[in-house]
Amino acid sequence: MVGQQQHGYWVIWATFFLAFVLAVIPLPPWLAWARPEFLALAVVYWTIALPHRVGILTALLLGVLLDVLEGSVMGQNALSLGVVALLSQVLYQRMRVTNVWQQAAMVFLLVGINQLVCQWTQNLQGVAAPSLLFLLPAFTSALVWPVVLHMLRALRRYYEVS
Amino acid sequence: MGLRALLMVFIVAGLIVADLRYNSLERTRSILDGLATPIYWLADIPAEITNWSESNVLSRGQLIEENDRLKRENLILSGRSQQIAALRAENTRLRALLNSTALLRNDVMIAELIGVSPDPARSEMVLNKGAGDGVYVGQPLIDAEGLLGQVVEVSQYNSRVLLITDVTHATPVQVNRNGVRAIAEGIGVLGALEIRHVAATTDIEEGDLLVSSGLGGRFPVGYPVARVSKVTRDPGHTFATIEASPVAALDRIRHVLLVFALNNPTP
């Protein structure tokens, strides 16, 4: 790890920026609960692909930015994304060898945990979700995972990010 | 990795406590909001394009039709407003007789909605006007129909608005018909408000218009807030259960009016 040349680091941040835009892009009301957590997906991918570049501290920084963007409690998304990054770092060797749908199942769990942590911190503020619909993004995120995986992998190979 | 995880827990706990318990991150937030502005602009581009095409890609026939409709509306509205000057003068005279202060007109500024809260459990919006345009925290905002909410966060170029239907928002109202005062609380659903702690014998009926009462000093008096949609009086309960639906088009608006109220808290 030490002395390894870093290359194409900006690509990682470009994908995070895109994820931020997708996180606030207006959706029709019937889709509002189903918005996939694109930022969490990007964090999972880059943590698995380049665990020495993207990890908990990156996730914390991104989380704080997402908190500002969404106007949620400071630290809410920082905590949830931090947990997701931590778990992905623990799991990355296993995630790399499984096929895409097994990965999607893991992503389902990871984003589900992300949603739960967000819900807990929101409860501290007194905003409780009216139903279990807040877990729906875990499902939709798992559904879009294959697409995200192939796009980010293509980007990483094309720009030789390391 | 264990060390990093520990560090993360400390940082996050510090952030949450600082924000929720001591409210000490407002300044940081408003600076970082500057970074968020371009993201909201980008995310708004599809809606912007739809809007543009709706107003530019129109046939001549549609334009003529719209023009006719607007002319008719204008005629009706100016007809109605003819008497307003006289009524206002009369009102001022009567108020002077009663030794109460004159009601002044509130100035307004048009702002455009550039984003809505991505979290469907919250009712928040982002506007394209910020501290640079004179927007301040606590400023009320209305649309053509009634009260929408208030500004909760201001950065240089945009501001964040809490709608009256958010679970954390409560609006002091009074019944327009008889002046009964109440508090209208949001329940987290865009089309509904709940009036709590109203005695079962209070005179509130379905269809009553609730206007802002001005108590609390946050909202100016007399803006329509909601219309009572359902009143349930159960003899077993001390309080009546009252539901109301906001008169402002909370889910369809694009342009809103920021009201510069008289009790502007900023110097």
Side-chain angles (χ1 to χ4, degrees), chain A residues 17 20-27 32-33 35 51 55-57 60 64-65 67-76 78-79 81-83 86 89-90 121-122 124-130, chain B residues 1 4-5 7-9 11-12 15-17 19-20 25 28-29 32-33 35-40 42-44 46-47 114-122 124 126 153 160 166-168 188:
Chain A
F17 183 79
F20 275 120
V21 174
L22 288 175
V24 292
I25 207 157
L27 287 181
W33 285 100
R35 180 195 301 273
I56 298 170
L57 295 181
L60 274 187
V64 170
L65 290 176
D67 286 330
V68 171
L69 194 63
E70 292 189 346
S72 47
V73 186
M74 235 11 170
Q76 171 184 316
L79 180 61
L81 283 178
V83 170
L86 177 69
Q89 274 202 329
V90 174
T121 41
Q122 261 191 10
L124 291 178
Q125 201 190 8
V127 184
Chain B
M1 195 191 294
R4 284 191 182 187
L7 185 64
M8 170 185 94
V9 169
I11 292 177
V12 169
L15 278 175
I16 293 178
V17 170
D19 193 19
L20 276 184
L25 294 174
T28 327
R29 222 179 240 278
L32 285 175
D33 255 341
L35 289 176
T37 311
I39 294 177
Y40 269 112
L42 274 179
D44 193 44
I114 54 169
V116 288
S117 167
D119 182 353
R122 306 299 309 268
E124 286 186 346
V126 180
E153 209 179 290
R160 190 177 291 276
D166 192 88
V167 275
T168 58

